[in-house]
Amino acid sequence: MFDDLPPDLERLHTLRVWHALWLARIDAKIEALRLRQAEAEHGRRRRPRPPEWIVELGIGTGRRPVQVHAGDCHMAGSRRRPVGRDEARRLLAGGLGACAHCRPDAQLDVVDLSLKRSGHRSTVARYRPIS
């Protein structure tokens, strides 16, 4: 039989204490990781849903709308505000630019956003009927 443990009682007690300390450290680390995972899961469940649509805002006083984005678009800048579906469609129809990445105009069924100029006024976008 292979026996690599020390033959005397004093060293065996020392090894037992050493291993008990390591087991306590390992158990504490396991508990800390379980707690961290439970907190992360709780945070994921409680996180508010992202808005469906957002408007990127310009710089300066008044902060006028610059572009419409889908709520989960990562191309939107840090200056933004959430908007509802109707307001997003109204802004796009009024000539506000649509993000070329997330294409909110296509998602909102706003078909023709080409700005045909007649003098200084732009034509209003046409809507595709929702089926």
Side-chain angles (χ1 to χ4, degrees):
M1 178 173 153
F2 182 70
D3 190 12
D4 60 345
L5 295 174
D8 59 307
L9 194 56
E10 184 178 335
R11 286 191 285 174
L12 283 173
H13 280 297
T14 303
L15 281 175
R16 187 176 192 307
V17 168
W18 186 82
H19 282 283
L21 290 173
W22 269 100
L23 280 176
R25 286 184 66 195
I26 291 170
D27 289 343
K29 183 70 172 192
I30 287 171
E31 187 58 33
L33 288 175
R34 281 186 184 153
L35 180 62
R36 185 182 305 162
Q37 287 175 350
E39 288 173 349
E41 179 61 30
H42 179 71
R44 275 192 291 279
R45 285 192 312 259
R46 301 277 302 180
R47 182 176 299 133
R49 298 179 75 185
E52 195 173 1
W53 309 104
I54 55 177
V55 172
E56 186 175 353
L57 303 172
I59 300 173
T61 57
R63 292 190 177 193
R64 303 188 85 117
V66 176
Q67 210 172 34
V68 178
H69 296 268
D72 59 350
C73 180
H74 65 274
M75 296 299 286
S78 59
R79 293 176 312 277
R80 58 176 110 182
R81 70 176 170 87
V83 294
R85 181 179 189 86
D86 292 337
E87 185 177 356
R89 290 180 70 143
R90 183 183 58 76
L91 290 169
L92 288 169
L96 190 64
C99 173
H101 180 73
C102 64
R103 298 294 314 264
D105 51 345
Q107 294 180 40
L108 289 167
D109 295 325
V110 178
V111 195
D112 183 18
L113 286 180
S114 61
L115 299 176
K116 299 174 186 169
R117 301 286 180 184
S118 58
H120 291 291
R121 301 180 65 193
S122 63
T123 58
V124 176
R126 287 179 254 137
Y127 292 102
R128 183 180 341 147
I130 298 173
S131 331

